[in-house]
């Protein structure tokens, strides 16, 4: 998918520049002077009810990526009385942010770039723990963001006049400034374990990682490069899909 938005009078140009990222649907929502745009590549809940921008409660959201533990989060939110009308992860992300605000981010296991707002005074941007999904922001005013630099350029961002939302960070953005805040910290302290234990742990981590990434309402595929990494992914996919 592609996301774009900010305090810009013609977000439509940014959406057009991201059409290749989302051929299944596109949309724009305006909250006063602030706009949020989205182009959708449908993976979970293919129904148009999950198209974006998505509104839950007071929260307006555009989201690129996938949350692998969205079913567990939905159950937790249902326990708090939140109700759902879709079967995918987008509504869960919106409901989590509407319920917990930025405290929802550490609860999300996945790869994502998220933009959300309640009104046009403050925009929130967030990126997954390891920065798997890109999210760029123009440093010039008025501020605007996008999944790709070509969308920023379409909106008039000068070359090199952009920044990245850092992995494991969220940003609080207003018309006057941007503040990036870490919500996740990668420990740099090495943990020494025996070879046999390391092999077993690596096997489990790879198995769980591949299994999580098979959550989809469309066919799942993998790419083989001939290396040990892609071969390992194919091995674990074979376990998840014995018919392959």
């Amino acid at each position: 998918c592609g996301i774009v938005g900010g305090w810009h009078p013609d977000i439509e140009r940014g959406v057009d520049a991201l059409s290749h990222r989302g051929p299944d649907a596109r949309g724009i929502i305006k909250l006063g002077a602030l706009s949020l745009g989205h182009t959708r590549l449908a993976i979970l809940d293919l129904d148009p009810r999950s198209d974006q921008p998505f509104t839950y409660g007071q929260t307006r959201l555009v989201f690129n990526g996938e949350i692998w533990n969205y079913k567990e989060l939905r159950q937790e939110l249902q326990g708090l009385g939140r109700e759902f009308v879709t079967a995918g992860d987008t509504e869960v992300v919106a409901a989590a942010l509407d319920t917990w605000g930025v405290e929802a981010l550490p609860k999300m296991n996945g790869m994502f770039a998220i933009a959300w707002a309640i009104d046009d005074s403050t925009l929130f941007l967030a990126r997954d723990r390891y920065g798997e999904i890109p999210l760029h922001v123009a440093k010039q005013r008025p501020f605007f963001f996008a999944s790709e630099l070509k969308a920023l350029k379409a909106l008039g961002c000068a070359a090199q006049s952009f920044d990245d939302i850092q992995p494991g960070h969220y940003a609080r953005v207003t018309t006057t400034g941007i503040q990036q805040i870490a919500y996740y910290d990668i420990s740099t302290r090495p943990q020494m374990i025996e070879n046999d234990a390391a092999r077993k742990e690596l096997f489990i981590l790879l198995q769980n990682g591949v299994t999580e990434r098979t959550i989809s309402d469309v066919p799942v595929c993998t790419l083989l490069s001939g290396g040990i990494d892609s071969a390992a992914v194919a091995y674990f996919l074979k376990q998840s899909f014995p018919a392959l």
Side-chain angles (χ1 to χ4, degrees):
C1 301
I3 63 175
V4 60
W7 291 270
H8 194 286
D10 193 10
I11 289 298
E12 184 75 30
R13 285 187 290 156
V15 173
D16 289 341
L18 296 177
S19 60
H20 61 285
R21 295 182 66 97
D24 297 319
R26 58 184 285 155
I28 295 174
I29 190 171
K30 292 185 179 294
L31 295 81
L34 176 65
S35 298
L36 300 175
H38 187 267
T39 61
R40 185 184 185 196
L41 176 65
I43 301 296
L44 291 175
D45 192 3
L46 310 186
D47 194 279
R49 63 190 179 183
S50 284
D51 288 351
Q52 300 180 45
F54 196 93
T55 298
Y56 192 104
Q58 294 183 305
T59 300
R60 278 75 167 177
L61 166 86
V62 287
F63 157 59
N64 174 31
E66 187 170 31
I67 305 300
W68 302 311
N69 65 331
Y70 76 96
K71 292 182 179 179
E72 292 83 356
L73 285 176
R74 183 167 60 196
Q75 289 180 346
E76 184 177 354
L77 288 161
Q78 285 174 327
L80 298 175
R82 307 313 299 259
E83 298 180 351
F84 296 87
V85 297
T86 73
D89 57 350
T90 296
E91 186 177 20
V92 174
V93 173
L97 293 169
D98 195 67
T99 302
W100 297 308
V102 296
E103 298 300 321
L105 298 172
K107 295 175 177 283
M108 297 180 190
N109 178 20
M111 54 182 189
F112 55 80
I114 306 173
W116 76 98
I118 294 176
D119 53 40
D120 66 349
S121 65
T122 307
L123 167 69
F124 290 92
L125 305 173
R127 200 172 174 201
D128 63 70
R129 299 172 184 178
Y130 301 108
E132 294 182 68
I133 301 295
L135 185 55
H136 312 291
V137 60
K139 292 188 288 186
Q140 63 196 65
R141 299 179 186 180
F143 296 106
F144 46 94
F145 69 90
S147 296
E148 293 187 15
L149 297 181
K150 64 173 60 178
L152 292 185
K153 292 178 181 178
L155 294 174
C157 179
Q160 307 304 315
S161 182
F162 66 89
D163 201 356
D164 291 333
I165 302 302
Q166 296 302 304
H169 283 64
Y170 73 89
R172 183 180 287 109
V173 189
T174 68
T175 55
T176 59
I178 301 174
Q179 180 187 20
Q180 291 206 43
I181 303 165
Y183 71 86
Y184 181 76
D185 181 36
I186 302 174
S187 174
T188 57
R189 183 177 179 180
Q191 181 182 7
M192 304 301 293
I193 58 177
E194 297 295 329
N195 285 343
D196 285 345
R199 283 194 290 268
K200 291 178 182 178
E201 183 174 352
L202 178 60
F203 186 93
I204 292 172
L205 290 172
L206 285 172
Q207 186 177 47
N208 291 342
V210 173
T211 300
E212 288 174 339
R213 288 158 178 78
T214 62
I215 300 172
S216 175
D217 291 331
V218 296
V220 174
C221 71
T222 187
L223 302 177
L224 286 171
S225 65
I228 185 64
D229 50 353
S230 62
V233 170
Y235 170 80
F236 289 112
L237 273 178
K238 178 70 173 177
Q239 293 186 329
S240 298
F241 299 94
L244 290 177

